């Protein structure tokens, strides 16, 4: 069970209501009124827990689990131990995510960190002209600037700063030590601790006798249901806006440059950098440590493998990898040939010197 000092839970839920929510089907003979109290991994679950099996690699743990119930793909159901109650799903991991949200709704949306939800704490500073909706939480040390608008149910964490003129929608989580400036944030957005939104883009007219700063006059627009990981940074535009599309999920330690446009439902993984004025279509995936050169387009549905360096436009739906990034089949062939070349050199005793 999750540690209740950190994770609140809704309590018992019936297998019937869980199956309905996750789009699963109870196995034959399972009583829909039976209840479970929480979720847990296969090897740690007890008789009152719900677990899941998605990867056949863990089938042995499934066969030995002490869980009371389990979400599983129909093709693996026959390997269940005697007495295990099954919810059948074609997408067990996705189904588990929905079930876990039922037990721990705050963990899916972000909850207060101080312990006083719905309170404007006396240790915060809120400008008189700021407009706060119902049930807004402002934790100690947070600063809310002039003209800021914050929607119903949003939580602003300890020592966060929301600069003048910014707007934040409903039911957002603005984590501790986040800074937001020159930005409009949609509904149900999650900004994890240390996120920086709206600071200057890196814009200079370079030359002698000195590099001249170019005023960055755009904004950052973060659309609904975006999640941005800890210590990631999104620069405001130089003139046009920087835009993060609806439903995009950004990992920790990601840098998004000025004027970047990110489409809907993109996935951007840790330590990736996207240079200024690059454009990502919808449902683009950038794996860990990808680098994207400025002023190019990665079209919708494209995927870039980890550590890929994108220096040219990427066609829609394509998988690229390598340095510089190229179609992934071509990159893999190059890697194989390089290995073969290395082996031949080693066998011939050629040190390369």
């Amino acid at each position: 069970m999750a540690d209740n000092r950190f994770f609140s839970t809704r309590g018992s839920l019936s297998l019937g209501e869980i199956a309905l929510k996750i789009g699963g089907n109870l196995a034959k003979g399972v009583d829909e009124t039976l209840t479970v109290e929480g979720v847990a991994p296969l090897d740690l679950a007890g008789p009152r827990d719900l677990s899941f099996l998605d990867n056949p690699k863990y089938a042995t743990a499934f066969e030995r689990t002490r869980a009371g119930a389990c979400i599983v793909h129909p093709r693996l159901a026959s390997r269940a131990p005697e007495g295990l109650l099954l919810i059948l799903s074609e997408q067990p991991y996705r189904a588990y995510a929905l079930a876990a949200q039922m037990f721990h709704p705050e963990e899916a949306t972000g909850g207060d960190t101080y312990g006083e939800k719905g309170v404007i704490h006396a240790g915060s500073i809120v400008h008189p002209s700021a407009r706060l909706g119902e049930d807004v939480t402002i934790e100690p040390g947070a600063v809310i600037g002039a003209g800021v608008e914050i929607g119903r149910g949003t939580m602003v964490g300890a020592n966060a700063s929301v600069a003048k003129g910014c707007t934040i929608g409903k039911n957002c989580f603005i984590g501790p030590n986040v800074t937001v400036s020159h930005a409009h944030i949609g509904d149900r957005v999650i900004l994890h601790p240390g996120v920086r939104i709206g600071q200057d883009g890196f814009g200079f007219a370079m030359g002698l006798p000195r590099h001249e700063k170019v005023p960055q006059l755009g904004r950052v627009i973060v659309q609904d249901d975006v999640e941005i990981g800890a210590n990631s940074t999104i620069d405001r535009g130089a003139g046009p806006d920087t835009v993060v599309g609806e439903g995009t999920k950004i990992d920790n330690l990601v840098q998004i440059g000025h004027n970047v446009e990110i489409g809907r439902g993109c996935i951007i993984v840790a330590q990736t950098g996207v240079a200024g004025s690059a454009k990502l279509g919808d449902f683009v995936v950038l794996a860990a440590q990808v680098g994207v050169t400025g002023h190019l387009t990665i079209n919708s549905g494209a995927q870039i493998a980890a550590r890929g360096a994108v220096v040219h436009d990427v066609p829609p739906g394509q998988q690229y990898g390598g340095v510089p990034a190229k179609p992934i089949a071509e990159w893999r062939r190059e890697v194989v040939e390089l290995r073969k070349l290395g082996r031949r050199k080693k066998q011939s005793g050629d040190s390369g010197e």
Side-chain angles (χ1 to χ4, degrees):
M1 293 290 290
D3 190 329
N4 61 15
R5 291 174 296 179
F6 307 120
F7 309 107
S8 60
T9 182
R10 286 179 54 184
S12 299
L13 295 169
S14 73
L15 297 181
E17 60 185 316
I18 293 172
L20 181 64
K21 172 68 174 179
I22 69 177
N25 297 300
L26 297 177
K28 187 176 180 180
V30 174
D31 184 350
E32 67 177 15
T33 66
L34 293 175
T35 62
V36 286
E37 296 176 354
V39 293
L42 287 166
D43 56 345
L44 299 178
R48 301 298 300 162
D49 293 327
L50 173 69
S51 192
F52 78 102
L53 173 65
D54 183 59
N55 189 335
K57 177 180 177 180
Y58 299 101
T60 300
F62 176 59
E63 293 170 346
R64 298 173 180 173
T65 188
R66 295 178 60 249
C70 189
I71 302 167
V72 63
H73 194 283
R75 69 172 178 270
L76 296 172
S78 63
R79 301 184 66 169
E82 185 177 355
L84 180 61
L85 305 173
L86 299 182
I87 301 177
L88 305 179
S89 172
E90 297 291 330
Q91 296 180 292
Y93 189 51
R94 184 178 183 85
Y96 166 77
L98 294 170
Q101 289 176 22
M102 294 176 72
F103 285 102
H104 304 288
E106 284 194 356
E107 296 313 307
T109 60
D112 70 290
T113 64
Y114 183 67
E116 294 182 1
K117 189 174 182 179
V119 173
I120 311 301
H121 197 277
S124 64
I125 300 174
V126 179
H127 194 278
S129 66
R131 298 171 58 188
L132 309 183
E134 296 179 1
D135 299 320
V136 165
T137 302
I138 309 293
E139 292 189 342
V143 178
I144 309 300
V148 167
E149 298 181 16
I150 298 177
R152 182 182 66 248
T154 286
M155 200 289 294
V156 180
N159 299 317
S161 171
V162 182
K164 63 182 182 179
C166 292
T167 61
I168 297 175
K170 300 186 294 291
N171 299 314
C172 294
F173 174 81
I174 311 300
N177 298 305
V178 166
T179 61
V180 178
S181 70
H182 306 85
H184 297 302
I185 310 292
D187 297 337
R188 300 175 302 279
V189 170
I190 297 175
L191 305 181
H192 288 279
V195 165
R196 309 299 183 199
I197 302 288
Q199 60 283 333
D200 275 13
F202 192 71
F204 296 90
M206 292 181 285
L208 297 175
R210 64 180 186 179
H211 306 313
E212 294 292 347
K213 186 176 184 65
V214 178
Q216 303 291 288
L217 304 177
R219 308 168 298 177
V220 176
I221 308 297
V222 179
Q223 297 178 358
D224 296 347
D225 299 304
V226 168
E227 183 163 351
I228 301 174
N231 294 322
S232 289
T233 62
I234 301 181
D235 296 343
R236 71 177 183 265
D241 296 327
T242 302
V243 179
V244 181
E246 177 183 359
T248 284
K249 311 300 182 184
I250 297 175
D251 199 358
N252 303 335
L253 297 170
V254 169
Q255 158 67 11
I256 306 297
H258 60 187
N259 311 335
V260 168
E261 296 180 18
I262 298 173
R264 297 176 298 119
C266 294
I267 298 292
I268 302 178
V269 185
Q271 298 184 350
T272 286
V274 182
S277 299
K279 296 183 179 181
L280 278 59
D282 298 337
F283 305 106
V284 167
V285 176
L286 304 181
Q289 297 185 337
V290 164
V292 178
T293 302
H295 304 275
L296 56 72
T297 299
I298 301 177
N299 285 280
S300 293
Q303 300 180 352
I304 312 300
R307 295 188 174 183
V310 183
V311 297
H312 300 292
D313 291 354
V314 178
Q318 298 297 302
Q319 294 181 325
Y320 272 45
V323 181
K326 53 184 67 66
I328 203 159
E330 180 182 340
W331 173 50
R332 286 171 175 164
R333 286 195 299 270
E334 288 181 358
V335 170
V336 170
E337 292 303 318
L338 284 171
R339 287 176 180 168
K340 290 179 180 178
L341 179 61
R343 291 192 191 104
R344 288 198 296 269
K345 283 185 172 289
K346 184 176 182 180
Q347 290 167 359
S348 66
D350 184 354
S351 66
E353 295 179 354

